[in-house]
């Protein structure tokens, strides 16, 4: 019964009772409390229903809020999630990473193991027998020191660049996704490349009697100098005026370049930086593009119930503005596919980069350009030389990228972003 009717009846009863006897007044007095209780009950039920409806709408309104990706809170949390993802991924494939670097850089001690799948196992067994378990993770401390800021910056930058290039769903295209990943990879490389060089040099070291520490490697890289070129003064020289002028010009130019171009010091920590940048563009771009595209396919309505997490398993209210989280196997599958595609597209440039990074250890120490390194590889092994170690590259990169994307996506859920 509505509250207004109860109040009206009470008013009518009050008017009638003013002309009744005392017995009727007593009857009215006894019936009024029951109606007041009914009134109170109806009001309480209405109030509780309103409160319940209001509280049920609160999470809905909360989940519809747009996430501010430019806030410091989001930036710090996404960077932390990316750093944790990178460390977990690199730790999972640490031994394979060590063997792959030895293969790519053509370490003489391990050249006999290249060319077969069993060579990877034999190389790991050789390292284990000569250096112990720590040998399989040689350079891993430098890896973690580099990968935490590298992965953190990469994922953080991807979120920021993506939010800028793709402000809404209508502008989400494959080209924009690719460029978002490429720019994110470029930013992370700029910030962490010297640590990558130190890691490669630590992993390349195979001496057991005099193992170089992190400080020793940094000192060696800093003081490395290319060899001086001896000038043959016994060769006949044309002393005619045009020849002398050209010779003087070339001498002056070479002396100027020698003064301007650093031959040692901090410049040594950026060996192989050009091919790294060139390789990062297709690697990071195709990695993020493939992961996001495969994720969209996994969330297709026909298979979504098998590939996506039920809302009951989410620790936080689901945001309709964000993609639905995938199940563990689906997330690992999309990351593994991203690793396969990105590794295939960027591997030749990665081989060139490794050769340039160990230039102070292999050969005469001359700082070679990308073209010179590529030419040397082609003359020595032909086109196959650019894909040396690709098999172990797949074995390493596919699980590494899968773990990286999986941990990153789960860490975002744990951190509430």
């Amino acid at each position: 019964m509505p509250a207004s009717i109860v109040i009206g009846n009470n008013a009518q009863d009050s008017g009638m009772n003013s002309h009744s006897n005392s017995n009727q007044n007593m009857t009215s007095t006894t019936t009024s409390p029951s109606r007041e209780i009914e009134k109170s009950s109806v009001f309480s039920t209405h109030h509780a229903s309103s409160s319940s409806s209001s509280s049920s709408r609160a999470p809905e309104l909360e989940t519809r809020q747009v996430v501010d990706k430019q806030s410091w809170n989001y930036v710090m949390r996404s960077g932390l999630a990316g750093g944790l993802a990178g460390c977990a991924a690199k730790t999972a494939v640490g031994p394979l990473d060590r063997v792959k670097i030895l293969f790519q850089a053509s370490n003489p001690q391990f050249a006999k193991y290249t060319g077969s799948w069993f060579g990877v196992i034999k190389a790991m067994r050789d390292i284990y027998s000569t250096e112990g378990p720590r040998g399989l993770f040689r350079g891993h401390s430098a890896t973690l020191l580099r990968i935490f800021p590298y992965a953190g910056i990469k994922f953080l930058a991807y979120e920021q660049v993506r939010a800028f290039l793709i402000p809404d769903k209508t502008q989400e295209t494959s080209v924009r996704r690719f460029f978002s990943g490429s720019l994110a990879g470029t930013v992370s490389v700029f910030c962490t490349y010297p640590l990558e060089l130190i890691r490669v040099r630590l992993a390349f070291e195979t001496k057991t009697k005099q193992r170089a520490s992190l400080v020793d490697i940094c000192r060696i890289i800093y003081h490395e100098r290319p060899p001086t070129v001896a000038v043959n003064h016994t060769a006949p020289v044309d002393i005619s005026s045009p020849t002398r002028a050209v010779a003087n010009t070339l001498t002056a130019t070479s002396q100027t370049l020698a003064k301007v171009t650093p031959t040692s010091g901090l410049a040594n920590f950026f060996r192989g930086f050009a091919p790294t940048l060139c390789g990062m563009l297709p690697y990071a771009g195709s990695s993020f593009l493939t992961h996001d595209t495969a994720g969209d396919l996994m969330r297709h309505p026909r298979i979504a119930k098998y590939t996506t997490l039920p809302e009951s398993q989410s620790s936080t209210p689901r945001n309709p503005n964000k993609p639905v989280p995938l199940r563990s196997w689906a997330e690992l599958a999309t990351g593994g596919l991203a690793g396969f595609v990105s590794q295939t597209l960027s591997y030749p440039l990665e081989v060139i980069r490794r050769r340039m990074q160990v230039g102070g250890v292999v050969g005469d120490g001359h700082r070679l350009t990308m073209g010179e390194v590529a030419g040397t590889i082609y003359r020595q092994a032909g086109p196959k030389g650019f894909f040396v170690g690709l098999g172990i590259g797949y074995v390493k990169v596919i699980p590494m990228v899968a773990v990286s994307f999986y941990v990153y996506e789960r860490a975002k859920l744990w951190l509430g972003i």
Side-chain angles (χ1 to χ4, degrees):
M1 179 183 298
S4 59
I5 297 178
V6 175
I7 296 172
N9 289 340
N10 287 337
Q12 293 175 2
D13 291 343
S14 177
M16 294 174 61
N17 289 337
S18 63
H19 301 286
S20 302
N21 55 23
S22 60
N23 188 27
Q24 288 176 335
N25 287 338
M26 184 177 298
T27 304
S28 176
T29 304
T30 57
T31 56
S32 181
S34 64
R35 290 181 178 178
E36 288 297 329
I37 293 173
E38 183 179 1
K39 169 188 170 183
S40 177
S41 176
V42 171
F43 176 78
S44 299
T45 303
H46 177 72
H47 179 71
S49 176
S50 300
S51 300
S52 175
S53 176
S54 177
S55 62
S56 64
R57 287 196 300 267
E60 182 181 355
L61 293 174
E62 182 180 353
T63 57
R64 289 180 181 176
Q65 293 178 355
V66 179
V67 178
D68 184 12
K69 293 189 175 183
Q70 277 69 46
S71 65
W72 277 108
N73 183 35
Y74 188 92
V75 169
M76 297 300 292
R77 293 191 181 194
S78 60
L80 175 60
L84 294 175
C87 290
K90 277 294 185 180
T91 302
V93 296
L96 290 172
D97 197 26
R98 171 85 198 277
V99 176
K100 192 189 81 164
I101 290 175
L102 294 173
F103 282 5
Q104 283 182 330
S106 297
N107 188 289
Q109 184 178 341
F110 290 87
K112 57 186 177 182
Y113 297 127
T114 60
S116 67
W117 289 93
F118 294 103
V120 176
I121 300 175
K122 293 179 180 178
M124 294 176 64
R125 188 185 304 163
D126 189 359
I127 295 172
Y128 184 84
S129 61
T130 56
E131 303 181 43
R134 295 179 62 182
L136 295 172
F137 290 91
R138 184 164 181 77
H140 192 61
S141 58
T143 298
L144 297 181
L145 184 64
R146 179 196 72 94
I147 200 63
F148 186 87
Y150 168 79
I153 293 172
K154 183 178 71 172
F155 282 105
L156 185 158
Y158 178 71
E159 295 287 354
Q160 299 301 313
V161 175
R162 178 184 169 88
F164 177 78
L165 294 180
I166 311 176
D168 53 63
K169 289 287 186 181
T170 60
Q171 302 186 34
E172 189 163 5
T173 62
S174 298
V175 175
R176 290 174 183 266
R177 283 178 170 179
F178 181 86
F179 277 109
S180 297
S182 297
L183 291 175
T186 301
V187 171
S188 62
V189 166
F190 265 119
C191 298
T192 61
Y193 186 79
L195 292 172
E196 162 69 2
L197 179 66
I198 295 170
R199 178 186 75 89
V200 171
R201 290 293 291 270
L202 278 171
F204 187 79
E205 291 289 330
T206 56
K207 297 178 182 179
T208 56
K209 294 182 179 180
Q210 296 179 348
R211 294 179 181 177
S213 64
L214 180 63
V215 177
D216 294 334
I217 287 292
C218 293
R219 188 181 296 113
I220 292 171
I221 295 173
Y222 185 86
H223 292 289
E224 282 176 351
R225 293 177 178 270
T228 57
V229 180
V231 180
N232 187 5
H233 296 284
T234 61
V237 179
D238 187 355
I239 59 173
S240 60
S241 297
T243 305
R244 187 184 304 111
V246 172
N248 291 338
T249 302
L250 292 176
T251 302
T253 302
S254 61
Q255 290 176 350
T256 302
L257 290 175
K259 293 179 180 179
V260 174
T261 304
T263 58
S264 63
L266 295 178
N268 287 340
F269 289 92
F270 288 88
R271 280 179 172 173
F273 184 70
T276 299
L277 251 158
C278 294
M280 183 54 64
L281 294 176
Y283 179 83
S286 60
S287 179
F288 280 104
L289 170 62
T290 305
H291 174 265
D292 290 354
T293 304
D296 292 342
L297 295 176
M298 287 289 187
R299 295 180 180 91
H300 193 276
R302 291 185 177 181
I303 60 173
K305 63 179 180 180
Y306 305 108
T307 59
T308 58
L309 271 178
E311 190 168 3
S312 59
Q313 296 184 16
S314 300
S315 57
T316 57
R318 184 162 292 176
N319 190 335
N321 298 316
K322 296 174 61 178
V324 179
L326 296 175
R327 294 181 183 269
S328 297
W329 71 267
E331 189 63 62
L332 290 170
T334 57
L337 181 61
F340 175 82
V341 173
S342 59
Q343 179 75 351
T344 304
L345 294 178
S346 64
Y347 194 78
L349 288 168
E350 186 177 353
V351 173
I352 296 174
R353 171 169 62 101
R354 298 296 190 204
R355 291 289 187 93
M356 295 181 70
Q357 286 176 334
V358 298
V361 181
V362 179
D364 59 1
H366 176 60
R367 187 178 298 161
L368 301 175
T369 63
M370 284 183 62
E372 291 173 332
V373 172
T376 301
I377 294 173
Y378 186 83
R379 286 192 300 270
Q380 291 177 350
K384 293 182 179 179
F386 294 98
F387 296 93
V388 172
L390 180 59
I392 189 176
Y394 284 141
V395 174
K396 189 204 84 164
V397 170
I398 290 176
M400 183 187 71
V401 178
V403 171
S404 178
F405 276 113
Y406 172 78
V407 175
Y408 177 67
E409 294 296 335
R410 288 299 184 266
K412 288 204 301 181
L413 290 178
W414 299 332
L415 295 172
I417 58 172

